[in-house]
Amino acid sequence: MISRKRSEELFTTAKTYFPGGVNSPVRAFKSVGGTPLFIKKGDGCRITDEDGNTFIDFCLSWGPLLLGHNNSKIREKVWETIQNGTSFGAPTALENELADLILSNNRYLEKIRFVSSGTEAVMSAVRLARGFTGRDKILKFEGCYHGHVDSLLVKAGSGLVTFGNSSSAGVPKGLVNDTIVVPLNRIDLVEAAFQEFEGQIAAVIIEPIPANNGLLQVSKEFLFCLACKAKKHGALLIFDEVISGYRVGFEGAAGLYDIAPDIITYGKIIGGGFPVGAYGASKEIMSRVSPDGDVYQAGTLSGNPVAMSAGIAALTECLKPGFYEQLDQKTSRFVSRIEAHVAERNYPFRIFRIGSIFWLAFTKNDIRAAEEIDPAGMDKFRVLHAFLLDNGVYFGPSGYEVGFVSAAHTDEDLEFSAAKICEGLDLVYA
Ligand SMILES: *Cc1c(COP(=O)(O)O)cnc(C)c1O
């Protein structure tokens, strides 16, 4: 076993400073057990912890690091910008530059607003939809995560079309009552919700590629019908592409499926590893955002020049010909290696994958809804996770989380990792 002495000491101290010793809950290793590793540095697809152990990383800061750690293009651009100061609270040319990169390469957006996190982007998009439609209710789907926005920390109740229950203490009942939760892939229930709350639903919000609760399979037909239903009933369709945006293609899931939502939210990759979020829509919808319109939204550090620079450098790489094709092929080869081993041994195990997002599932079944995930699989994930940590491969510390492949992972790195995952599965199913 590798030494975790320094991480253990740091975690003990961190617990005296932060709830659970962390600044975001999943980092605490609660669902896999053991001590979170304190990371000292990252380079390419590798991270090194405070004890000097190095790992091939498939967590990648939970998605933002499409180009891997410490990418030289991003580092140089950030360095160039930071020489001139870090924040002005006044417009900079860099904001125009990133907006131009985004808007001239996206068929679904005419205007955008930068914010500082995915949560902030979603929160603002929901307010905009409410302001634009003059309605209060939001329809969301069980199994989709949209950040820690009060209105969206709501999970399904007992019925099929229900007011949900809050999934966090501290969420006002009034907000919970304005959130309707429906299972994924059930367009009949979406229609039922629209009938029941005729004229009251401001927006339908969905992760078009739900990747925060496993990687749930949502059909293109369902998304297409969702767009039609929203239009028919005068509600806006919000694609929350905080995870899928710039991950499955430059135009995200909207481009992959060629479905035009009314509002799109971004985060993660858009900031190149810095805190950036964004929401965008047509000129008409965005004209309602202050100071043009009456929907208030602001941010002291919004459009921060250092963060914009990182975003510019990252998205410039994404636009290079073949970028996504290469990433897709590489991930496909990686997944196939593991699948071949699994098929040979006949393990009840699958890897779901879209582009460079993948999810290890301890089942033979299709998984199209959150409740189809067997919690017993999480015990198996715990064993696999521990084995991989001892063998130089780092996955996010929860079986409900997806893994990512970056442009920095080489075929060799992926071959090594696939072999370790196969060995780990042999242990899990021994
Ligand atoms: C990560 C994520 C968020 C929240 O973004 P933060 O930057 O963590 O606030 C919202 N929606 C989706 C789909 C996400 O994956």
Side-chain angles (χ1 to χ4, degrees):
M1 252 230 349
I2 61 171
S3 168
R4 308 225 164 94
K5 193 166 171 292
R6 185 75 188 125
S7 282
E8 278 159 11
E9 285 165 6
L10 286 165
F11 191 45
T12 302
T13 309
K15 281 191 274 196
T16 70
Y17 299 140
F18 314 117
V22 290
N23 287 297
S24 193
V26 72
R27 296 179 197 171
F29 268 48
K30 285 253 182 200
S31 71
V32 292
T35 305
L37 302 184
F38 279 62
I39 306 303
K40 191 168 187 174
K41 62 179 184 180
D43 192 34
C45 71
R46 286 179 173 72
I47 49 175
T48 302
D49 70 11
E50 289 281 352
D51 289 285
N53 307 301
T54 294
F55 306 86
I56 297 181
D57 182 19
F58 291 93
C59 177
L60 294 166
S61 192
W62 304 99
L65 306 181
L66 181 67
L67 305 180
H69 296 272
N70 200 10
N71 174 271
S72 61
K73 298 262 171 47
I74 296 177
R75 192 178 60 234
E76 280 155 23
K77 179 94 183 156
V78 161
W79 184 237
E80 183 193 311
T81 301
I82 215 168
Q83 314 282 318
N84 296 321
T86 56
S87 181
F88 310 108
T92 61
L94 291 160
E95 289 153 84
N96 286 9
E97 201 181 320
L98 183 56
D100 185 53
L101 259 181
I102 293 168
L103 297 176
S104 11
N105 294 289
N106 188 314
R107 289 166 289 168
Y108 309 98
L109 301 175
E110 290 177 338
K111 277 196 175 178
I112 195 161
R113 170 64 64 83
F114 291 119
V115 295
S116 300
S117 73
T119 295
E120 200 187 348
V122 171
M123 178 188 79
S124 310
V126 165
R127 184 181 306 131
L128 175 56
R130 284 173 163 156
F132 187 82
T133 58
R135 301 172 175 185
D136 287 343
K137 292 200 192 307
I138 302 294
L139 190 153
K140 71 165 286 235
F141 295 92
E142 185 69 1
C144 288
Y145 175 70
H146 301 291
H148 64 97
V149 179
D150 276 334
S151 287
L152 299 171
L153 284 176
V154 179
K155 58 181 192 294
S158 47
L160 277 177
V161 176
T162 55
F163 292 123
N165 300 316
S166 72
S167 51
S168 164
V171 176
K173 281 189 198 68
L175 286 179
V176 174
N177 288 341
D178 276 334
T179 304
I180 304 151
V181 187
V182 168
L184 283 163
N185 293 303
R186 288 292 304 271
I187 203 70
D188 56 325
L189 296 178
V190 171
E191 177 61 27
F194 271 119
Q195 301 275 339
E196 190 170 341
F197 304 104
E198 187 63 55
Q200 298 175 58
I201 299 176
V204 176
I205 184 166
I206 187 166
E207 277 183 90
I209 297 176
N212 278 286
N213 220 312
L215 184 62
L216 304 174
Q217 295 171 289
V218 166
S219 71
K220 179 179 172 173
E221 291 66 38
F222 176 72
L223 293 171
F224 181 78
C225 292
L226 207 54
C228 302
K229 293 283 181 209
K231 199 181 179 86
K232 174 177 153 200
H233 294 283
L236 300 187
L237 176 63
I238 304 174
F239 269 12
D240 179 358
E241 298 229 41
V242 171
I243 217 164
S244 54
Y246 308 100
R247 171 60 66 179
V248 298
F250 200 87
E251 290 177 310
L256 184 70
Y257 299 127
D258 194 18
I259 293 172
D262 297 294
I263 305 178
I264 308 181
T265 59
Y266 296 109
K268 301 196 168 107
I269 292 171
I270 200 174
F274 281 75
V276 181
Y279 61 103
S282 65
K283 282 182 195 154
E284 188 199 359
I285 293 174
M286 291 304 280
S287 73
R288 294 295 295 271
V289 178
S290 57
D292 279 350
D294 52 357
V295 175
Y296 188 71
Q297 186 272 307
T300 301
L301 291 171
S302 292
N304 173 268
V306 183
M308 293 290 106
S309 300
I312 292 163
L315 298 197
T316 301
E317 291 307 298
C318 298
L319 281 170
K320 291 191 173 159
F323 179 86
Y324 288 103
E325 288 77 1
Q326 273 176 33
L327 201 54
D328 184 73
Q329 287 159 12
K330 207 159 64 175
T331 313
S332 165
R333 288 194 290 273
F334 165 64
V335 167
S336 301
R337 272 197 192 94
I338 304 165
E339 282 173 341
H341 182 80
V342 165
E344 195 187 293
R345 307 287 167 103
N346 200 24
Y347 294 145
F349 178 84
R350 281 180 72 169
I351 302 181
F352 295 94
R353 175 183 85 89
I354 299 179
S356 54
I357 313 177
F358 66 95
W359 178 51
L360 310 176
F362 297 83
T363 179
K364 270 194 176 329
N365 304 328
D366 277 342
I367 298 194
R368 290 158 48 87
E371 64 272 17
E372 290 169 11
I373 303 176
D374 179 4
M378 298 306 142
D379 294 331
K380 297 194 173 69
F381 180 81
R382 181 198 299 254
V383 174
L384 179 65
H385 188 268
F387 174 85
L388 292 176
L389 271 195
D390 284 341
N391 286 276
V393 177
Y394 187 90
F395 270 84
S398 160
Y400 290 96
E401 301 287 349
V402 295
F404 301 97
V405 172
S406 78
H409 288 80
T410 65
D411 275 320
E412 220 175 9
D413 299 322
L414 293 171
E415 223 168 284
F416 171 86
S417 306
K420 291 298 171 195
I421 291 169
C422 293
E423 272 179 57
L425 289 174
D426 291 344
L427 183 71
V428 167
Y429 291 109

